[in-house]
Amino acid sequence: MDAKRLNEIVEAVVRELTAAGLSSGPAPAQTAVPAPAALPPAPAAAPSPALSALVVDLEDPTTPAARAHPGVQNPADADGLAALMEATPARIGYGCAGARYRTAPWLTFQADQAVTQDTLYRDVDENLLSSLGLFKVQTRVTGGKQEYLLRPDLGRQLNEEARQTIQQRCTRAPQVQVCVGDGLSAQAIESNLAQILPVIRQGCQTAGLSFGTPFFIQYCRVGVMNDIGDLLQPLVLMLLIGERPGLGRADSMSVYMGFRPQKGHTDAERDVICNVFNGGTNPLEAGAYAVQLAQKMIRFQAGGVKLKLAEG
Amino acid sequence: MILRTKLFGKTYEFPDLRILMGKANEEKSGDRLAGVAAASTAERAAAKMVLAAVPLWALRESPVASYEQDEVTRVIFDALNETTYAEIKNWTVGELREWLLANTTPPEEIRRVSNGLTAEMIAAVTKIMSNMDLILAASKIRVICHCANTIGLPGTLSSRLQPNDPTDSPEGVRASIYEGLSYGSGDSVIGINPVDDSYASVARLLDMTHEIIKTWEIPTQNCVLAHVTTQMRCLKNGSPVGLVFQSICGSQKGNESFGISVGMLDEAYELAKKYCVPAGPNYMYFETGQGSALSANAHHGWDQLTLEARNYGLAKRYAPFQVNTVVGFIGPEYLYDASQIQRAGLEDHFMGKLTGISMGVDACYTNHARIDQNGVENLAVLLTAAGCNYFMGIPMSDDTMLSYQSTSFHDTAALRQLFRLRPAPEFEAWMESLGLMHGGILTEKAGDPSFFLKR
């Protein structure tokens, strides 16, 4: 059957369906198989005037204002709908296309997820680390991000080279030791480190606490704090680490803190300041708070659950 | 004990059933982490062949933890129907698979034989089934339960309305509930995961959800998924509770890490029967998930699928209204990518049904797993084909409190349309009476949360 004949048949069927109310689909000619002559022109040919005049230039759909835009057609109560959307960060009030999402909120959802995926599989910018004077060591993960995700046990241990480098370059037994780890988000470190690190350093100086030599750990899990504690014997160890990215939020960092961290310690011995980002716990405030917490740990000689009990 | 086969002239031998069961699993990152995975694809194939020839009695004699040592084992063994067991104990795992799939095996017979199966037998047959085997066999089994409404009837698909809020704000939760109801979600339960597990906060959310149910005369049940001890306190103090929830694990040691025991669950069940608002008789709600025992180092060296099967054996003791696996929540070190999460979802759903419980699935993922929304939508379609009782309903599938993605209000509506399924009948009649649904399809008025502002 030639393409022209096929077109005619398809057009006839679509006409019938439309007449029967079963399809309000696009114009029949567009649904038909294109004849060879209708193939797109070769790339070298000049675009048509209509194509040249085409402009797709979109506003950012991820701004708070754009996200607040309702999508329900003919709502029962338009003001009420806006108020309901205002009451929750959940993705409500965007309406539907049949039983599916409307196009704009669906594509924004995909964009939100894309951000999390990109930060997970990317390394922290080396320039940032060197500008802040951090040297870099690695855990026992050797197989890249995939092995990092699959083997949390390896991310909790320093490799041999790291142990030597740390022993050579770091001051032993400081009152406060700061380490930085990529964790599950490179962007979290890039967004917050330049703000929080100077605050912690300055805060320690003001408080009269000796400040150890800070460094960066690639493929890092929180449990690596025990290895560092055994090597450097700090009173307080702070680990600044990228959190698991949330949908559309890749810049959230945590500060894990331990008092005399050592082999066998678990989260019960640690304190954590989480949700550190501009919009959550502000990194400047988080830095100041971390120093206060360090002072408290030293005063009570305890961290984690023990610190809470000691405080009474 | 000799467990071995030749394959292409090479001999594969397995020292015991624990190792054999681990190596017979489809690829899972958690089994590698536990050190029980097959070393090669050929070894996996060999393990499946050997396992298919193992008689069921041998699996009864090899529980994950002994009867004396573990109360989950005791719960499952004590509930076993010895007459049924005597009929089937000499079947091999391979014969059980064919019997489940045979067109001559009626669904009622599967329900009966299920009472003679231990969790280890159910896990074993699951390991030698393909994805479509799991779908077809599960689709034959219906488990119907009743609380304020009916879940699991043929031709229905229910949806848990999960209106979580990162601060437990009652107004935020209410807004998501209105949105969900307007899409026909909420017939399985209106169930909130609270941030704050305190009595006062949980009681407040119970009151608020109950008030919505009363105001709109919704034929459904509420639940706040706090620790069971908090819910027990709420029950004793007169809070309006629909379902009583708890996360469970496949070993006593695992349950201890969740702060629960069989004795505690027994007490919660008695309180539920005494104080819950709806008619019942099914009042309990459990969540499970492959890998939870391993993450608590409570797996006794066994694979995550077998531990998961034991969850369902424990759940069955309480005739739950619903149980769901939270299949992708645990992270990539247990289920790495889309194919592992999809496989585990189909396995868990089948095992729950074969155990004889009302089974739903939280088809979900965290952002560090190798899967995206398309992967979860695929799984939801497969599970609907398998006759899954319910899915989660979350605004555009994005849970802003638990920071993970699951299925949405829209997904349930689409799955119902695709497979010509309806909500629970009581709930459908309610939707019809409000003009939000007609003939099982959402109307023009649906999908508008502001509809519920008028009362």
Side-chain angles (χ1 to χ4, degrees), chain A residues 74-128:
Chain A
N74 308 314
D77 177 348
D79 292 343
L81 177 64
L84 288 170
M85 292 177 73
E86 178 85 6
T88 173
R91 293 166 197 251
I92 69 165
Y94 293 134
C96 53
R100 299 308 295 158
Y101 311 120
R102 299 196 63 193
T103 305
W106 162 237
L107 296 181
T108 304
F109 174 98
Q110 282 197 312
D112 285 334
Q113 217 226 338
V115 172
T116 69
Q117 294 298 300
D118 288 347
T119 192
L120 203 57
Y121 292 97
R122 189 164 66 71
D123 291 326
V124 174
D125 181 7
E126 300 271 350
N127 294 329
L128 173 75

Short mmCIF file of all heavy atoms in Angstrom, two decimals, chain A residues 74-128:
data_model
loop_
_atom_site.label_atom_id
_atom_site.label_comp_id
_atom_site.label_asym_id
_atom_site.label_seq_id
_atom_site.Cartn_x
_atom_site.Cartn_y
_atom_site.Cartn_z
N ASN A 74 -11.37 25.97 36.76
CA ASN A 74 -12.68 26.24 37.38
C ASN A 74 -12.78 25.68 38.80
O ASN A 74 -13.65 24.85 39.08
CB ASN A 74 -13.82 25.65 36.53
CG ASN A 74 -13.72 26.09 35.09
OD1 ASN A 74 -13.51 27.28 34.83
ND2 ASN A 74 -13.86 25.15 34.16
N PRO A 75 -11.91 26.12 39.71
CA PRO A 75 -12.01 25.62 41.09
C PRO A 75 -13.31 26.09 41.75
O PRO A 75 -13.83 27.16 41.41
CB PRO A 75 -10.80 26.23 41.79
CG PRO A 75 -10.46 27.44 40.98
CD PRO A 75 -10.83 27.12 39.56
N ALA A 76 -13.79 25.30 42.71
CA ALA A 76 -15.01 25.66 43.43
C ALA A 76 -14.80 26.95 44.22
O ALA A 76 -15.73 27.74 44.39
CB ALA A 76 -15.41 24.53 44.37
N ASP A 77 -13.56 27.17 44.66
CA ASP A 77 -13.28 28.32 45.52
C ASP A 77 -11.83 28.73 45.24
O ASP A 77 -10.89 28.17 45.82
CB ASP A 77 -13.49 27.89 46.99
CG ASP A 77 -13.15 28.99 47.99
OD1 ASP A 77 -12.54 30.00 47.59
OD2 ASP A 77 -13.49 28.81 49.17
N ALA A 78 -11.67 29.71 44.35
CA ALA A 78 -10.32 30.06 43.88
C ALA A 78 -9.45 30.60 45.02
O ALA A 78 -8.28 30.22 45.14
CB ALA A 78 -10.40 31.07 42.75
N ASP A 79 -9.99 31.45 45.86
CA ASP A 79 -9.21 31.98 46.98
C ASP A 79 -8.87 30.87 47.96
O ASP A 79 -7.76 30.80 48.49
CB ASP A 79 -10.00 33.08 47.72
CG ASP A 79 -10.16 34.32 46.87
OD1 ASP A 79 -9.40 34.45 45.88
OD2 ASP A 79 -11.04 35.15 47.17
N GLY A 80 -9.87 30.00 48.19
CA GLY A 80 -9.65 28.87 49.09
C GLY A 80 -8.56 27.96 48.56
O GLY A 80 -7.73 27.46 49.32
N LEU A 81 -8.55 27.76 47.26
CA LEU A 81 -7.52 26.90 46.65
C LEU A 81 -6.13 27.48 46.91
O LEU A 81 -5.20 26.76 47.30
CB LEU A 81 -7.78 26.77 45.14
CG LEU A 81 -6.75 25.95 44.36
CD1 LEU A 81 -6.73 24.49 44.81
CD2 LEU A 81 -7.01 26.04 42.85
N ALA A 82 -6.00 28.79 46.70
CA ALA A 82 -4.70 29.43 46.93
C ALA A 82 -4.29 29.27 48.40
O ALA A 82 -3.12 29.01 48.70
CB ALA A 82 -4.79 30.90 46.55
N ALA A 83 -5.25 29.40 49.30
CA ALA A 83 -4.94 29.27 50.73
C ALA A 83 -4.51 27.85 51.07
O ALA A 83 -3.59 27.64 51.86
CB ALA A 83 -6.16 29.67 51.57
N LEU A 84 -5.18 26.86 50.48
CA LEU A 84 -4.79 25.46 50.72
C LEU A 84 -3.37 25.21 50.23
O LEU A 84 -2.56 24.57 50.91
CB LEU A 84 -5.76 24.50 50.01
CG LEU A 84 -7.16 24.39 50.61
CD1 LEU A 84 -8.08 23.59 49.67
CD2 LEU A 84 -7.12 23.72 51.99
N MET A 85 -3.04 25.74 49.05
CA MET A 85 -1.69 25.55 48.51
C MET A 85 -0.66 26.22 49.40
O MET A 85 0.45 25.72 49.59
CB MET A 85 -1.61 26.09 47.07
CG MET A 85 -2.43 25.27 46.08
SD MET A 85 -2.40 25.94 44.40
CE MET A 85 -0.74 25.52 43.86
N GLU A 86 -1.04 27.36 49.95
CA GLU A 86 -0.16 28.10 50.84
C GLU A 86 0.12 27.33 52.13
O GLU A 86 1.18 27.48 52.74
CB GLU A 86 -0.85 29.43 51.17
CG GLU A 86 -0.12 30.33 52.12
CD GLU A 86 0.91 31.21 51.40
OE1 GLU A 86 0.96 31.18 50.14
OE2 GLU A 86 1.65 31.89 52.09
N ALA A 87 -0.83 26.46 52.53
CA ALA A 87 -0.74 25.79 53.84
C ALA A 87 0.25 24.63 53.86
O ALA A 87 0.55 24.10 54.91
CB ALA A 87 -2.13 25.29 54.25
N THR A 88 0.74 24.22 52.70
CA THR A 88 1.59 23.03 52.66
C THR A 88 2.64 23.12 51.55
O THR A 88 2.37 23.69 50.49
CB THR A 88 0.74 21.75 52.42
OG1 THR A 88 1.61 20.64 52.22
CG2 THR A 88 -0.18 21.89 51.22
N PRO A 89 3.84 22.56 51.81
CA PRO A 89 4.82 22.47 50.72
C PRO A 89 4.50 21.32 49.74
O PRO A 89 5.18 21.18 48.73
CB PRO A 89 6.13 22.19 51.46
CG PRO A 89 5.72 21.51 52.73
CD PRO A 89 4.37 22.07 53.09
N ALA A 90 3.48 20.52 50.05
CA ALA A 90 3.13 19.41 49.15
C ALA A 90 2.62 19.95 47.81
O ALA A 90 2.12 21.07 47.73
CB ALA A 90 2.06 18.53 49.81
N ARG A 91 2.76 19.12 46.78
CA ARG A 91 2.41 19.56 45.42
C ARG A 91 0.91 19.38 45.18
O ARG A 91 0.49 18.45 44.50
CB ARG A 91 3.21 18.75 44.39
CG ARG A 91 4.69 19.06 44.46
CD ARG A 91 5.55 18.06 43.71
NE ARG A 91 6.92 18.20 44.15
CZ ARG A 91 7.90 18.72 43.40
NH1 ARG A 91 7.69 19.07 42.17
NH2 ARG A 91 9.12 18.85 43.91
N ILE A 92 0.11 20.26 45.75
CA ILE A 92 -1.34 20.18 45.55
C ILE A 92 -1.83 21.37 44.73
O ILE A 92 -1.13 22.37 44.59
CB ILE A 92 -2.10 20.11 46.89
CG1 ILE A 92 -2.00 21.43 47.64
CG2 ILE A 92 -1.60 18.96 47.76
CD1 ILE A 92 -3.03 21.55 48.77
N GLY A 93 -3.04 21.23 44.21
CA GLY A 93 -3.70 22.33 43.51
C GLY A 93 -3.25 22.53 42.08
O GLY A 93 -3.57 23.53 41.45
N TYR A 94 -2.52 21.56 41.54
CA TYR A 94 -2.02 21.71 40.17
C TYR A 94 -2.96 21.12 39.12
O TYR A 94 -2.66 21.14 37.93
CB TYR A 94 -0.63 21.08 40.04
CG TYR A 94 0.44 21.80 40.83
CD1 TYR A 94 1.36 21.11 41.61
CD2 TYR A 94 0.54 23.20 40.79
CE1 TYR A 94 2.34 21.77 42.34
CE2 TYR A 94 1.52 23.87 41.51
CZ TYR A 94 2.42 23.14 42.28
OH TYR A 94 3.40 23.80 42.99
N GLY A 95 -4.07 20.51 39.56
CA GLY A 95 -5.06 20.02 38.60
C GLY A 95 -4.63 18.76 37.89
O GLY A 95 -3.69 18.08 38.30
N CYS A 96 -5.33 18.45 36.80
CA CYS A 96 -5.05 17.20 36.11
C CYS A 96 -5.40 17.29 34.64
O CYS A 96 -6.17 18.16 34.21
CB CYS A 96 -5.82 16.06 36.77
SG CYS A 96 -7.59 16.36 36.92
N ALA A 97 -4.82 16.40 33.86
CA ALA A 97 -5.18 16.20 32.45
C ALA A 97 -5.73 14.78 32.38
O ALA A 97 -4.95 13.83 32.38
CB ALA A 97 -3.96 16.37 31.56
N GLY A 98 -7.05 14.63 32.41
CA GLY A 98 -7.62 13.30 32.58
C GLY A 98 -7.19 12.78 33.93
O GLY A 98 -7.31 13.48 34.93
N ALA A 99 -6.66 11.57 33.95
CA ALA A 99 -6.19 11.02 35.22
C ALA A 99 -4.70 11.31 35.44
O ALA A 99 -4.10 10.76 36.34
CB ALA A 99 -6.44 9.52 35.26
N ARG A 100 -4.10 12.13 34.62
CA ARG A 100 -2.66 12.39 34.76
C ARG A 100 -2.39 13.84 35.14
O ARG A 100 -3.30 14.65 35.25
CB ARG A 100 -1.93 12.03 33.43
CG ARG A 100 -2.08 10.58 33.03
CD ARG A 100 -1.70 9.61 34.15
NE ARG A 100 -0.29 9.68 34.49
CZ ARG A 100 0.22 9.28 35.67
NH1 ARG A 100 -0.57 8.80 36.61
NH2 ARG A 100 1.50 9.37 35.91
N TYR A 101 -1.11 14.17 35.32
CA TYR A 101 -0.72 15.52 35.69
C TYR A 101 -0.87 16.46 34.51
O TYR A 101 -0.77 16.05 33.35
CB TYR A 101 0.75 15.56 36.13
CG TYR A 101 1.14 14.51 37.13
CD1 TYR A 101 2.14 13.58 36.85
CD2 TYR A 101 0.50 14.44 38.37
CE1 TYR A 101 2.49 12.61 37.77
CE2 TYR A 101 0.85 13.47 39.30
CZ TYR A 101 1.84 12.56 38.98
OH TYR A 101 2.18 11.59 39.89
N ARG A 102 -1.05 17.73 34.81
CA ARG A 102 -0.92 18.73 33.76
C ARG A 102 0.57 18.81 33.37
O ARG A 102 1.45 18.40 34.13
CB ARG A 102 -1.47 20.06 34.22
CG ARG A 102 -2.98 19.95 34.55
CD ARG A 102 -3.64 21.29 34.64
NE ARG A 102 -3.58 21.97 33.36
CZ ARG A 102 -3.85 23.26 33.20
NH1 ARG A 102 -4.18 24.00 34.24
NH2 ARG A 102 -3.78 23.80 32.00
N THR A 103 0.84 19.32 32.20
CA THR A 103 2.20 19.26 31.65
C THR A 103 3.23 20.02 32.50
O THR A 103 4.28 19.48 32.84
CB THR A 103 2.21 19.82 30.21
OG1 THR A 103 1.25 19.11 29.45
CG2 THR A 103 3.58 19.68 29.57
N ALA A 104 2.89 21.25 32.87
CA ALA A 104 3.90 22.09 33.54
C ALA A 104 4.35 21.50 34.89
O ALA A 104 5.55 21.37 35.12
CB ALA A 104 3.38 23.51 33.70
N PRO A 105 3.42 21.14 35.79
CA PRO A 105 3.90 20.59 37.06
C PRO A 105 4.64 19.26 36.91
O PRO A 105 5.56 18.98 37.67
CB PRO A 105 2.61 20.41 37.89
CG PRO A 105 1.49 20.50 36.95
CD PRO A 105 1.95 21.33 35.79
N TRP A 106 4.27 18.46 35.92
CA TRP A 106 4.97 17.20 35.70
C TRP A 106 6.42 17.45 35.27
O TRP A 106 7.35 16.84 35.79
CB TRP A 106 4.23 16.35 34.66
CG TRP A 106 5.06 15.26 34.05
CD1 TRP A 106 5.32 15.09 32.73
CD2 TRP A 106 5.76 14.19 34.74
NE1 TRP A 106 6.14 13.99 32.56
CE2 TRP A 106 6.42 13.42 33.77
CE3 TRP A 106 5.88 13.84 36.08
CZ2 TRP A 106 7.19 12.31 34.09
CZ3 TRP A 106 6.67 12.73 36.41
CH2 TRP A 106 7.29 11.98 35.41
N LEU A 107 6.60 18.38 34.34
CA LEU A 107 7.97 18.63 33.87
C LEU A 107 8.80 19.31 34.96
O LEU A 107 10.01 19.08 35.06
CB LEU A 107 7.94 19.46 32.58
CG LEU A 107 7.26 18.75 31.40
CD1 LEU A 107 7.29 19.63 30.15
CD2 LEU A 107 7.92 17.40 31.11
N THR A 108 8.15 20.11 35.80
CA THR A 108 8.88 20.71 36.94
C THR A 108 9.30 19.62 37.93
O THR A 108 10.41 19.66 38.47
CB THR A 108 8.00 21.76 37.64
OG1 THR A 108 7.60 22.73 36.67
CG2 THR A 108 8.77 22.45 38.76
N PHE A 109 8.42 18.64 38.15
CA PHE A 109 8.78 17.51 39.02
C PHE A 109 10.04 16.83 38.48
O PHE A 109 10.98 16.53 39.22
CB PHE A 109 7.61 16.52 39.07
CG PHE A 109 7.91 15.24 39.81
CD1 PHE A 109 7.50 15.08 41.14
CD2 PHE A 109 8.58 14.18 39.19
CE1 PHE A 109 7.77 13.90 41.82
CE2 PHE A 109 8.86 13.01 39.87
CZ PHE A 109 8.45 12.86 41.19
N GLN A 110 10.06 16.60 37.18
CA GLN A 110 11.23 15.93 36.58
C GLN A 110 12.49 16.78 36.73
O GLN A 110 13.57 16.26 36.99
CB GLN A 110 10.97 15.63 35.11
CG GLN A 110 10.08 14.40 34.91
CD GLN A 110 10.17 13.87 33.49
OE1 GLN A 110 10.07 14.64 32.54
NE2 GLN A 110 10.34 12.58 33.36
N ALA A 111 12.32 18.10 36.59
CA ALA A 111 13.47 18.99 36.77
C ALA A 111 13.97 18.91 38.21
O ALA A 111 15.18 18.88 38.46
CB ALA A 111 13.07 20.43 36.42
N ASP A 112 13.03 18.87 39.17
CA ASP A 112 13.41 18.78 40.58
C ASP A 112 14.20 17.50 40.83
O ASP A 112 15.14 17.48 41.62
CB ASP A 112 12.16 18.80 41.47
CG ASP A 112 11.56 20.19 41.57
OD1 ASP A 112 12.31 21.16 41.42
OD2 ASP A 112 10.34 20.29 41.80
N GLN A 113 13.79 16.42 40.19
CA GLN A 113 14.52 15.18 40.40
C GLN A 113 15.88 15.20 39.71
O GLN A 113 16.86 14.65 40.21
CB GLN A 113 13.71 13.98 39.92
CG GLN A 113 13.92 12.79 40.87
CD GLN A 113 14.18 11.48 40.19
OE1 GLN A 113 13.82 11.31 39.02
NE2 GLN A 113 14.77 10.56 40.89
N ALA A 114 15.93 15.88 38.57
CA ALA A 114 17.20 15.97 37.83
C ALA A 114 18.29 16.61 38.69
O ALA A 114 19.43 16.16 38.70
CB ALA A 114 16.98 16.77 36.55
N VAL A 115 17.92 17.65 39.43
CA VAL A 115 18.88 18.34 40.28
C VAL A 115 19.49 17.38 41.29
O VAL A 115 20.69 17.39 41.54
CB VAL A 115 18.18 19.51 41.01
CG1 VAL A 115 19.10 20.13 42.05
CG2 VAL A 115 17.73 20.55 40.02
N THR A 116 18.63 16.53 41.88
CA THR A 116 19.14 15.60 42.89
C THR A 116 20.06 14.57 42.26
O THR A 116 21.06 14.19 42.85
CB THR A 116 17.99 14.86 43.60
OG1 THR A 116 17.38 13.97 42.67
CG2 THR A 116 16.94 15.82 44.13
N GLN A 117 19.73 14.12 41.07
CA GLN A 117 20.56 13.11 40.41
C GLN A 117 21.92 13.68 40.06
O GLN A 117 22.95 13.04 40.23
CB GLN A 117 19.87 12.59 39.15
CG GLN A 117 18.60 11.82 39.45
CD GLN A 117 18.87 10.58 40.29
OE1 GLN A 117 19.59 9.70 39.89
NE2 GLN A 117 18.30 10.54 41.50
N ASP A 118 21.92 14.91 39.55
CA ASP A 118 23.18 15.51 39.12
C ASP A 118 24.14 15.72 40.29
O ASP A 118 25.34 15.52 40.16
CB ASP A 118 22.91 16.84 38.41
CG ASP A 118 22.28 16.61 37.04
OD1 ASP A 118 22.29 15.45 36.57
OD2 ASP A 118 21.78 17.57 36.44
N THR A 119 23.61 16.11 41.44
CA THR A 119 24.50 16.40 42.57
C THR A 119 25.07 15.12 43.17
O THR A 119 26.17 15.08 43.70
CB THR A 119 23.79 17.22 43.66
OG1 THR A 119 24.76 17.70 44.58
CG2 THR A 119 22.74 16.41 44.41
N LEU A 120 24.31 14.04 43.05
CA LEU A 120 24.71 12.76 43.63
C LEU A 120 25.93 12.17 42.92
O LEU A 120 26.78 11.54 43.54
CB LEU A 120 23.52 11.81 43.48
CG LEU A 120 23.36 10.61 44.36
CD1 LEU A 120 23.35 11.01 45.82
CD2 LEU A 120 22.04 9.92 44.02
N TYR A 121 25.98 12.36 41.61
CA TYR A 121 27.02 11.69 40.82
C TYR A 121 28.15 12.63 40.41
O TYR A 121 28.88 12.38 39.49
CB TYR A 121 26.38 11.02 39.59
CG TYR A 121 25.51 9.86 40.04
CD1 TYR A 121 24.13 10.02 40.20
CD2 TYR A 121 26.07 8.63 40.36
CE1 TYR A 121 23.35 8.97 40.66
CE2 TYR A 121 25.30 7.59 40.82
CZ TYR A 121 23.94 7.76 40.96
OH TYR A 121 23.16 6.72 41.43
N ARG A 122 28.30 13.75 41.13
CA ARG A 122 29.30 14.76 40.79
C ARG A 122 30.26 14.91 41.97
O ARG A 122 29.89 14.68 43.11
CB ARG A 122 28.54 16.08 40.55
CG ARG A 122 29.32 17.20 39.99
CD ARG A 122 28.36 18.27 39.47
NE ARG A 122 27.57 18.93 40.51
CZ ARG A 122 28.07 19.78 41.40
NH1 ARG A 122 29.34 20.10 41.38
NH2 ARG A 122 27.29 20.35 42.30
N ASP A 123 31.51 15.29 41.67
CA ASP A 123 32.49 15.50 42.74
C ASP A 123 32.49 16.97 43.17
O ASP A 123 32.19 17.86 42.37
CB ASP A 123 33.89 15.10 42.27
CG ASP A 123 34.00 13.59 42.08
OD1 ASP A 123 33.34 12.86 42.85
OD2 ASP A 123 34.72 13.15 41.17
N VAL A 124 32.90 17.23 44.39
CA VAL A 124 33.01 18.60 44.89
C VAL A 124 34.12 19.33 44.13
O VAL A 124 35.17 18.76 43.85
CB VAL A 124 33.31 18.60 46.41
CG1 VAL A 124 33.57 20.02 46.91
CG2 VAL A 124 32.17 17.95 47.18
N ASP A 125 33.86 20.57 43.79
CA ASP A 125 34.78 21.41 43.03
C ASP A 125 36.13 21.53 43.75
O ASP A 125 36.21 22.02 44.87
CB ASP A 125 34.12 22.79 42.87
CG ASP A 125 34.98 23.75 42.06
OD1 ASP A 125 36.01 23.30 41.51
OD2 ASP A 125 34.61 24.93 41.99
N GLU A 126 37.21 21.09 43.05
CA GLU A 126 38.56 21.11 43.64
C GLU A 126 39.01 22.53 43.98
O GLU A 126 39.73 22.75 44.96
CB GLU A 126 39.57 20.51 42.65
CG GLU A 126 39.30 19.07 42.25
CD GLU A 126 39.96 18.07 43.19
OE1 GLU A 126 40.77 18.49 44.04
OE2 GLU A 126 39.64 16.87 43.07
N ASN A 127 38.59 23.49 43.15
CA ASN A 127 39.01 24.88 43.37
C ASN A 127 38.49 25.40 44.71
O ASN A 127 39.18 26.14 45.40
CB ASN A 127 38.51 25.79 42.24
CG ASN A 127 39.18 25.44 40.93
OD1 ASN A 127 40.33 25.00 40.92
ND2 ASN A 127 38.46 25.59 39.83
N LEU A 128 37.28 25.00 45.03
CA LEU A 128 36.71 25.43 46.31
C LEU A 128 37.55 24.89 47.47
O LEU A 128 37.90 25.62 48.40
CB LEU A 128 35.26 24.93 46.44
CG LEU A 128 34.63 25.17 47.81
CD1 LEU A 128 34.26 26.64 47.98
CD2 LEU A 128 33.41 24.29 48.02
#
